[in-house]
Amino acid sequence: MSQNLALKAPTAVSGSATGPSTASPAPRDAAASVPVTTTTVPARGSGRAARVARAAWARALPIIAALLGIVAIWYAVSYLLLSESRRFLLPPPHQVVAETVGNEKVIGPMIAALGQTITVALIGLVIAVVIGMGWAIVMSQWTMAEKILYPYAVILQTIPILALTPLIGIWMGYGLPARIVVCVIIAVFPMISNTLFGLQSATPAAHDLFTLQKATKWQRMTKLMLPAAIPSIFTGLRQSAGLAVIGAIVGDFFFQQGSQGIGGLLRTYTLRLNMEPLFLAIIFTALFGVIVFSIFAALDRLVVGRLFGVITR
């Protein structure tokens, strides 16, 4: 017992080793002694908006770089490869803008012609989508229909449209209907082939499940084959949209009756060697094609991405 007291003694008087003992203050609450730091949690919407902005910038940056490269090459060819006497063949960009954008006699008819071409392209695209999807659905339901109808789709794709335009003009005149027909002929094949591929992409196991459930053809089509074909349908839609623009311009180029489209202006400026308006029309045509393709590509990512996001969750 005495040994235990000796061991405890130093701890009992340790406070008086350096001086008189003083009463220590009462310890503060442990939670109060820790400094409080506030953390600002970013809103969920702002983080998502930032990600969307970064993704949009990442997609736009290559396009901007490509446009700047085209302008640089344009200037290089105009000033380095062409002599001053031949520079009218490729006027520099600032000269094209200066002589056309502020000129109402040029920009007014060009905007009207571009509106006409947009109308033809959209009407032709809608008709091509309806015909292409209907064609593919019929072929997917009957093997004999596929054997009969698919060669005609291949023929429409392989025959040069320039060989058909004289006949189309003779049969239908040289106005708006003929332009729409040319647009449909050029744009319909991607919708047929991609939709048919998508409809036939459902797995045999999925078809067996619908067979066990005694599903009708309509149920099999609407609940199995069409949902499986959505990615392929949007791929065909993206391709057909670009081809519809080409078809509308080709129709405008060859059929001159009625209101003039951008293709008709291209032909007129080429025959007159009006180089500045010609290059502006080419720029408008290229921008129109890029915008249409970008719209349907974004629609593809939005719809297909959401669909597969719901499926995989």
Side-chain angles (χ1 to χ4, degrees), residues 237-291:
L237 184 61
R238 189 170 64 246
Q239 296 173 1
S240 295
L243 292 176
V245 175
I246 297 174
I249 294 171
V250 170
D252 291 338
F253 193 88
F254 284 96
F255 304 137
Q256 298 290 318
Q257 289 184 0
S259 55
Q260 197 173 35
I262 197 73
L265 288 183
L266 287 172
R267 183 175 183 177
T268 301
Y269 294 146
T270 302
L271 294 175
R272 297 177 181 176
L273 286 180
N274 291 339
M275 302 306 293
E276 287 82 5
L278 176 61
F279 276 100
L280 183 65
I282 293 172
I283 292 171
F284 277 6
T285 302
L287 289 177
F288 174 41
V290 170
I291 290 171

Side-chain angles (χ1 to χ4, degrees), residues 119-133:
T119 302
V120 173
L122 292 179
I123 295 175
L125 178 61
V126 171
I127 296 175
V129 169
V130 173
I131 293 176
M133 290 187 64

Side-chain angles (χ1 to χ4, degrees), residues 42 58-59 98 105-106 140-141 165 168-169 180 197 199 201-202 217 257 272 274 287 292 302 304:
R59 288 192 296 267
K105 294 182 179 180
V106 174
S140 68
Q141 295 298 303
T165 47
I168 295 172
I180 294 175
F197 173 78
L199 292 173
S201 65
K217 281 190 174 183
Q257 289 184 0
R272 297 177 181 176
N274 291 339
L287 289 177
V292 169
L302 179 64
V304 177

Side-chain angles (χ1 to χ4, degrees), residues 119-154:
T119 302
V120 173
L122 292 179
I123 295 175
L125 178 61
V126 171
I127 296 175
V129 169
V130 173
I131 293 176
M133 290 187 64
W135 199 324
I137 289 172
V138 171
M139 290 191 296
S140 68
Q141 295 298 303
W142 296 281
T143 305
M144 186 58 66
E146 181 179 358
K147 293 179 179 179
I148 295 173
L149 295 176
Y150 195 77
Y152 289 101
V154 176

Side-chain angles (χ1 to χ4, degrees), residues 55-77:
W57 174 249
R59 288 192 296 267
L61 187 60
I63 299 175
I64 296 174
L67 292 176
L68 293 177
I70 291 173
V71 172
I73 294 172
W74 189 347
Y75 271 112
V77 173

Side-chain angles (χ1 to χ4, degrees), residues 20-262:
S21 61
T22 56
S24 59
R28 291 180 298 172
D29 188 7
S33 63
V34 179
V36 179
T37 58
T38 58
T39 303
T40 303
V41 180
R44 186 176 180 181
S46 62
R48 183 178 179 182
R51 289 195 301 270
V52 171
R54 285 195 298 268
W57 174 249
R59 288 192 296 267
L61 187 60
I63 299 175
I64 296 174
L67 292 176
L68 293 177
I70 291 173
V71 172
I73 294 172
W74 189 347
Y75 271 112
V77 173
S78 295
Y79 285 102
L80 299 179
L81 297 182
L82 295 178
S83 61
E84 189 173 356
S85 60
R86 301 182 62 211
R87 194 166 294 160
F88 72 95
L89 296 174
L90 186 63
H94 66 273
Q95 182 177 338
V96 172
V97 173
E99 296 190 12
T100 56
V101 174
N103 190 348
E104 285 295 329
K105 294 182 179 180
V106 174
I107 199 67
M110 195 168 296
I111 296 297
L114 185 61
Q116 176 70 21
T117 302
I118 292 173
T119 302
V120 173
L122 292 179
I123 295 175
L125 178 61
V126 171
I127 296 175
V129 169
V130 173
I131 293 176
M133 290 187 64
W135 199 324
I137 289 172
V138 171
M139 290 191 296
S140 68
Q141 295 298 303
W142 296 281
T143 305
M144 186 58 66
E146 181 179 358
K147 293 179 179 179
I148 295 173
L149 295 176
Y150 195 77
Y152 289 101
V154 176
I155 290 171
L156 285 177
Q157 176 68 14
T158 54
I159 291 181
I161 191 62
L162 298 181
L164 294 177
T165 47
L167 289 176
I168 295 172
I170 292 172
W171 292 340
M172 304 190 65
Y174 297 90
L176 185 66
R179 303 177 195 178
I180 294 175
V181 169
V182 171
C183 184
V184 171
I185 291 175
I186 292 179
V188 72
F189 182 77
M191 287 303 306
I192 297 174
S193 58
N194 285 280
T195 304
L196 181 62
F197 173 78
L199 292 173
Q200 295 174 345
S201 65
T203 62
H207 280 286
D208 292 341
L209 178 61
F210 273 72
T211 302
L212 289 175
Q213 297 296 327
K214 297 181 180 180
T216 62
K217 281 190 174 183
W218 174 254
Q219 291 173 334
R220 190 184 299 266
M221 172 61 65
T222 56
K223 296 183 179 181
L224 174 62
M225 298 175 70
L226 278 177
I230 286 178
S232 298
I233 290 173
F234 274 93
T235 300
L237 184 61
R238 189 170 64 246
Q239 296 173 1
S240 295
L243 292 176
V245 175
I246 297 174
I249 294 171
V250 170
D252 291 338
F253 193 88
F254 284 96
F255 304 137
Q256 298 290 318
Q257 289 184 0
S259 55
Q260 197 173 35
I262 197 73

